[in-house]
Amino acid sequence: YFFTENVKYVASDGSVKDKSNKLYSTPADSDLATLYAHTNSDNDVNTYFPASMSGVMGIMLNAGGRSIQLIPVTTNTSAANKVTAPAKQPDYVMYNNIFGQGKHLRYSPTFSGFKEDIILDAPTSESFSFILKTGGLIASLEYGEVKLHDSSGNLVAYMGQIYAYDSFTGTATDNSHVSFNNAVTLTQTGT
């Protein structure tokens, strides 16, 4: 079999293990346990999900000795709601009404990071903003993707293009229920 990304990793004890997207409670002996309720610990790319998300507390991605944080710009607070998915589907964490009534965030861990979904109960024309703490990486916007490079110019991480789709559940023969025409802006706010 050929895979597009690593499906195994070397654990801290030196053994080779299968990656998993299963979510666990953050280990009590971890320095992060007081802030983050859940993590995907069977992986060398760990996403930490806060017990309570707010405008000062978002998710954190740790990999290769680096840490990146993504924090929603909001005045609301939302408690983590972990959902254990059925077999062969990823677990996820919901933050309901984080951007106001009917505007939710859903995060699913992946083998190489996480997937973010902004779920709307009704159509809206508003935009959504986040603070990206890069941990010293240099952010740039290229073709709708946010790319993070180290000081030598090596690509370390990226956030893919945004697409939106509606609640249509039938079989579509075209792209009439998905939009690829979405805008991303990137503004430096600190050093």
Side-chain angles (χ1 to χ4, degrees):
Y1 296 104
F2 292 96
F3 299 97
T4 58
E5 61 184 328
N6 293 332
V7 296
K8 295 187 180 283
Y9 72 103
V10 178
S12 58
D13 64 4
S15 63
V16 176
K17 296 186 175 184
D18 290 328
K19 286 189 175 196
S20 169
N21 291 324
K22 182 172 176 55
L23 289 174
Y24 299 96
S25 293
T26 303
D29 62 349
S30 167
D31 294 339
L32 302 172
T34 58
L35 299 174
Y36 296 95
H38 310 289
T39 186
N40 58 328
S41 39
D42 295 335
N43 198 327
D44 59 339
V45 179
N46 302 116
T47 303
Y48 290 88
F49 302 89
S52 183
M53 182 175 278
S54 66
V56 295
M57 186 65 167
I59 65 169
M60 180 172 61
L61 181 75
N62 283 349
R66 297 193 181 272
S67 179
I68 299 168
Q69 293 179 317
L70 188 65
I71 303 167
V73 175
T74 183
T75 57
N76 299 318
T77 300
S78 178
N81 179 19
K82 178 186 162 244
V83 177
T84 302
K88 300 194 180 200
Q89 305 245 345
D91 292 348
Y92 59 90
V93 178
M94 288 289 300
Y95 295 97
N96 293 315
N97 302 314
I98 189 67
F99 285 115
Q101 188 64 36
K103 299 170 187 129
H104 323 286
L105 284 175
R106 176 175 62 197
Y107 289 102
S108 307
T110 66
F111 285 167
S112 58
F114 61 86
K115 180 180 185 297
E116 177 186 69
D117 295 302
I118 300 173
I119 300 172
L120 306 173
D121 291 349
T124 183
S125 61
E126 69 185 286
S127 62
F128 301 95
S129 297
F130 295 84
I131 295 169
L132 177 62
K133 293 188 175 183
T134 66
L137 297 172
I138 301 159
S140 64
L141 185 61
E142 300 174 28
Y143 305 107
E145 294 183 338
V146 176
K147 297 193 175 183
L148 301 173
H149 296 86
D150 63 18
S151 59
S152 299
N154 300 312
L155 180 64
V156 175
Y158 73 96
M159 297 171 62
Q161 292 181 342
I162 294 174
Y163 63 93
Y165 55 94
D166 64 24
S167 59
F168 178 75
T169 58
T171 303
T173 58
D174 58 12
N175 286 331
S176 60
H177 298 282
V178 64
S179 169
F180 299 98
N181 187 22
N182 306 294
V184 177
T185 58
L186 182 66
T187 306
Q188 184 173 343
T189 59
T191 56

